[in-house]
Amino acid sequence: MSKKPQHAKHAAEKTSSVKIPWPKKKNTIGADTDADIEAGGNDSLNKTAAETSEKNSNFLNKYSGSSDSVFDNMLLIRLVIASVIFAVSLIIKMPDFARVILLVIVSGAAGYDIFLNALNSIQKGRYFATPVVVSFVAIASFLIGFGAEGAALVLLYQIGILLIKFTIEKTRKSAQELLRYQDEETVKKYSELIRQDETGHMEIEDTMRYSSGSILKMAMVFAVIYAIALPLFTSYGFIVSIHRSLMIILIATPVSVVAAMPVTGIVGLCYSAQQGILFKDAASLEKTGRTNVAVIDKTGVLTEEIPHVISVNPDIIDRDTFMNFASHALYYSEQPVAKAVSAITTQDYRLELISDFKDIHGYGVDLKIGGARVTLATEEYFKSRGMQVPDSDSPENSQCFYMTVSDKFVGYLVISNDINSDAIDLSSELNAMDLNRIILVTEDGEEESQRFAYELSINEVVAGCGTESKLKLINELKQDRSNHVLYVYSNGFQAHSEADVDMRVGRKAKFADAQVKPEYLTNIPFAIQVSRRTKEVAISNALFAFIIKAVLIFLSIIGYCNIWFAIFIDMVAALATVLNAIRVTNESILKSFKK
């Protein structure tokens, strides 16, 4: 049977790429984008960048939701009415029962949905959900004679949640603005992605929620003990002790601790995407920051994905016959040389002539073609069999593959083995990240692999490594739970490896956790640093909220706080953490990863 060469297994895919004029490379966290353009001194480049920015601003406006959408008109009307009634109940003299009725109306008008959410949470077994706590504290406040504080709690909580949503929406839009110099496809993809609820979710949020839940439970136990003990050992009555205990329980709710977590993840995602590293969600970005082992595939990452044939040098046979043997010999191979030869093959394939095929990763192939033994391999392979190869004239940064037919040398071909222009920068910056191990995996032979690793200052290399061997290596690395593995590759398999993060260099990344546009290859270390920065900001926000809560609880215990003040300050803290999320793009307290 014969096949046309364009249907060959390794026919080169022809893809078109759009070059982004700016920023192609940007390795400094927090650099001012407009200043970068101005400093370039290139009017043409500045004009192109400005046009790209203006064009993508239109796309951002198109794909981003309006901030006004968070304001429900009916909710605003309810809050205005409730605020007016609340003011009337405090200012105008009236009987106590009338004031209580007005305060109940205020609570119902402002927060009936809070009470409904509380009932729904209780039905689902979430007894410590924030709506449940707020509803419990509000109702208890009415029962002990602090109706004004109970109504103020509901009103301020509802206003606070509304402002938090508005601030989150504004911060999302600020994050999207980071993409204004990216291409339309990226802008559209991320504008839609960050509208999804789970996109900004990080593991640290689960940790903080768990910690906050534990603290809330302990606070409830402490509040009960405090409510009972205070009247027994002091002159204060139970009303005072219960009032303070309610504040302790209210302050312990996790609202301000976790409010900024999702939007912090989104800012990190957009900041990384601005530099051409596109993560599928914040959880993948977060995992990247824990990387201590990087496995880097040579082909397509550190070198061109499909090498090209530099020269064909037949000896005994003519060029067409030599290429016919070479193309048939490499038809079933997965090695880069196979793709290089396939790209220039013009002969038809007669696959029925091929038998006893053996793919020798890193070295070449051995098989029979029409019953004749054919070997196409490197000098290193032939030397290992005690054979001396003929002299060849090959340029630097290339590989020679010699062919024997029935154990007779019939010529050789030379393929390119050029190091990617960004590979040296990438390897040097990864070395500066203080990773435990950086492992180069390549299909080349031992000598060629060592030479290549030496040029890139990579100390660890695994040679003769096919797809299965690479996946096996990653699996072995993951047997040690202390290893957090980042796998950077270009092609070879259509699945997810055992690595913590699969990062694919190319225009498509269906199964990967992140896609790296080829022109942004050197920004991979930047993405690791963004991940670490994102977690740093998330933790600092949580610590800030915890400190505020600790101060409020202390003030509540000694009697210098009330319910409305507690919820007001807690909501202000939540707003501050959301606004602080944009600080992911600021390197002011970051240690540079460059030595």
Side-chain angles (χ1 to χ4, degrees):
M1 121 180 121
S2 65
K3 293 188 177 182
K4 294 295 183 182
Q6 58 264 34
H7 300 300
K9 186 177 181 182
H10 302 290
E13 295 182 3
K14 295 183 179 179
T15 59
S16 60
S17 61
V18 179
K19 296 295 183 182
I20 309 303
W22 185 90
K24 182 175 180 181
K25 298 177 185 175
K26 184 178 172 200
N27 295 311
T28 304
I29 296 180
D32 188 274
T33 53
D34 295 329
D36 286 343
I37 298 176
E38 185 177 352
N42 187 318
D43 293 339
S44 177
L45 179 62
N46 296 346
K47 182 179 179 182
T48 305
E51 291 174 350
T52 304
S53 175
E54 182 179 358
K55 180 180 179 181
N56 284 340
S57 292
N58 296 330
F59 283 110
L60 288 169
N61 292 331
K62 176 181 178 181
Y63 293 114
S64 62
S66 171
S67 301
D68 297 334
S69 62
V70 301
F71 291 118
D72 184 314
N73 290 334
M74 184 57 67
L75 176 59
L76 289 175
I77 293 172
R78 285 164 45 200
L79 291 176
V80 170
I81 293 174
S83 298
V84 171
I85 298 174
F86 183 69
V88 169
S89 69
L90 296 180
I91 297 171
I92 299 178
K93 292 184 178 181
M94 61 184 70
D96 289 343
F97 77 90
R99 179 173 286 104
V100 171
I101 291 174
L102 287 181
L103 293 174
V104 170
I105 293 173
V106 169
S107 301
Y112 74 85
D113 50 341
I114 298 174
F115 298 110
L116 292 177
N117 288 335
L119 291 175
N120 185 50
S121 296
I122 292 172
Q123 290 176 351
K124 294 180 178 179
R126 300 200 297 265
Y127 304 111
F128 300 102
T130 300
V132 176
V133 175
V134 171
S135 299
F136 169 76
V137 173
I139 294 171
S141 298
F142 274 94
L143 294 178
I144 63 174
F146 289 86
E149 290 190 30
L153 164 62
V154 175
L155 185 59
L156 288 174
Y157 176 77
Q158 192 74 287
I159 293 173
I161 292 297
L162 193 64
L163 289 176
I164 289 173
K165 289 180 179 180
F166 174 76
T167 307
I168 288 175
E169 189 66 25
K170 279 292 187 181
T171 307
R172 284 175 184 263
K173 292 193 72 174
S174 296
Q176 285 177 275
E177 284 297 320
L178 295 169
L179 303 174
R180 64 185 182 277
Y181 290 103
Q182 272 293 351
D183 57 275
E184 176 188 344
E185 182 182 357
T186 300
V187 171
K188 181 178 179 180
K189 175 183 176 180
Y190 266 75
S191 296
E192 293 174 350
L193 183 65
I194 66 177
R195 308 304 304 175
Q196 301 173 15
D197 292 336
E198 292 300 315
T199 298
H201 179 79
M202 298 184 291
E203 291 180 10
I204 190 174
E205 181 179 345
D206 296 331
T207 302
M208 292 301 175
R209 284 189 182 277
Y210 178 80
S211 301
S212 299
S214 300
I215 291 173
L216 176 59
K217 294 173 184 177
M218 290 189 290
M220 286 184 170
V221 173
F222 173 78
V224 171
I225 296 174
Y226 180 85
I228 297 172
L230 186 65
L232 297 179
F233 297 99
T234 68
S235 60
Y236 293 108
F238 279 102
I239 296 298
V240 174
S241 66
I242 293 173
H243 179 241
R244 294 183 183 180
S245 296
L246 290 175
M247 284 186 285
I248 294 171
I249 294 172
L250 178 65
I251 295 166
T253 56
V255 174
S256 58
V257 176
V258 298
M261 294 286 181
V263 74
T264 302
I266 286 172
V267 173
L269 281 176
C270 291
Y271 194 32
S272 180
Q274 181 200 56
Q275 307 300 323
I277 316 295
L278 313 180
F279 288 91
K280 68 178 183 180
D281 52 36
S284 299
L285 173 67
E286 182 185 21
K287 291 178 182 178
T288 303
R290 296 197 291 265
T291 297
N292 56 17
V293 178
V295 179
I296 313 295
D297 200 345
K298 173 188 172 184
T299 304
V301 178
L302 304 177
T303 62
E304 54 188 336
E305 182 175 348
I306 301 178
H308 60 275
V309 176
I310 296 175
S311 65
V312 179
N313 305 277
D315 189 0
I316 301 174
I317 57 180
D318 62 86
R319 188 183 190 280
D320 288 342
T321 304
F322 181 91
M323 286 303 298
N324 199 8
F325 271 110
S327 58
H328 279 77
L330 293 167
Y331 183 84
Y332 290 110
S333 176
E334 296 289 345
Q335 299 181 56
V337 62
K339 298 176 183 179
V341 171
S342 175
I344 64 169
T345 295
T346 57
Q347 293 89 354
D348 290 345
Y349 288 89
R350 297 185 59 190
L351 302 184
E352 70 275 9
L353 298 177
I354 301 174
S355 61
D356 298 343
F357 174 81
K358 184 179 181 182
D359 204 8
I360 312 168
H361 284 291
Y363 298 98
V365 295
D366 185 77
L367 71 161
K368 287 183 179 180
I369 300 178
R373 174 64 59 184
V374 177
T375 303
L376 180 65
T378 62
E379 179 181 5
E380 186 179 352
Y381 175 76
F382 285 111
K383 284 184 176 180
S384 69
R385 297 177 59 188
M387 299 176 65
Q388 187 66 35
V389 301
D391 293 334
S392 63
D393 184 17
S394 58
E396 189 178 354
N397 292 328
S398 64
Q399 270 189 299
C400 273
F401 285 82
Y402 299 86
M403 183 189 294
T404 62
V405 178
S406 299
D407 293 329
K408 292 183 179 180
F409 284 100
V410 296
Y412 65 93
L413 57 86
V414 183
I415 67 167
S416 62
N417 193 30
D418 296 330
I419 298 177
N420 188 309
S421 60
D422 294 328
I424 295 177
D425 290 338
L426 173 64
S427 63
S428 64
E429 292 187 6
L430 282 175
N431 282 321
M433 296 294 294
D434 294 326
L435 305 179
N436 294 344
R437 300 171 69 182
I438 301 175
I439 305 172
L440 171 66
V441 291
T442 170
E443 297 179 351
D444 295 334
E446 189 67 34
E447 291 183 6
E448 176 64 24
S449 299
Q450 291 292 346
R451 181 196 65 79
F452 194 89
Y454 177 79
E455 290 189 35
L456 295 178
S457 299
I458 297 177
N459 295 326
E460 197 168 351
V461 59
V462 180
C465 203
T467 299
E468 291 184 6
S469 299
K470 294 170 187 175
L471 297 178
K472 183 180 179 181
L473 170 65
I474 293 171
N475 186 52
E476 290 173 352
L477 290 170
K478 285 302 298 175
Q479 298 304 310
D480 184 347
R481 294 187 178 182
S482 65
N483 286 337
H484 299 283
V485 181
L486 168 67
Y487 179 37
V488 184
Y489 70 103
S490 178
N491 55 21
F493 69 105
Q494 296 295 325
H496 197 292
S497 75
E498 293 295 323
D500 296 272
V501 178
D502 274 356
M503 188 175 284
R504 183 168 186 176
V505 178
R507 297 293 170 184
K508 296 180 180 179
K510 181 178 181 181
F511 297 98
D513 300 299
Q515 173 192 356
V516 182
K517 296 184 177 181
E519 63 268 31
Y520 293 93
L521 179 66
T522 56
N523 285 343
I524 291 176
F526 173 88
I528 297 175
Q529 196 70 354
V530 169
S531 173
R532 294 174 180 176
R533 174 63 172 165
T534 301
K535 186 174 182 179
E536 177 186 312
V537 171
I539 291 176
S540 65
N541 281 340
L543 289 176
F544 170 76
F546 276 127
I547 291 171
I548 295 297
K549 287 179 179 294
V551 172
L552 289 174
I553 289 176
F554 174 74
L555 293 176
S556 300
I557 291 174
I558 63 177
Y560 284 91
C561 186
N562 55 33
I563 290 175
W564 70 263
F565 180 77
I567 192 65
F568 174 76
I569 296 299
D570 198 42
M571 286 298 174
V572 170
L575 287 171
T577 59
V578 172
L579 290 171
N580 190 54
I582 201 67
R583 200 163 54 87
V584 168
T585 62
N586 186 342
E587 65 173 340
S588 58
I589 62 173
L590 264 182
K591 293 181 179 179
S592 174
F593 60 84
K594 290 186 177 180
K595 294 182 179 179

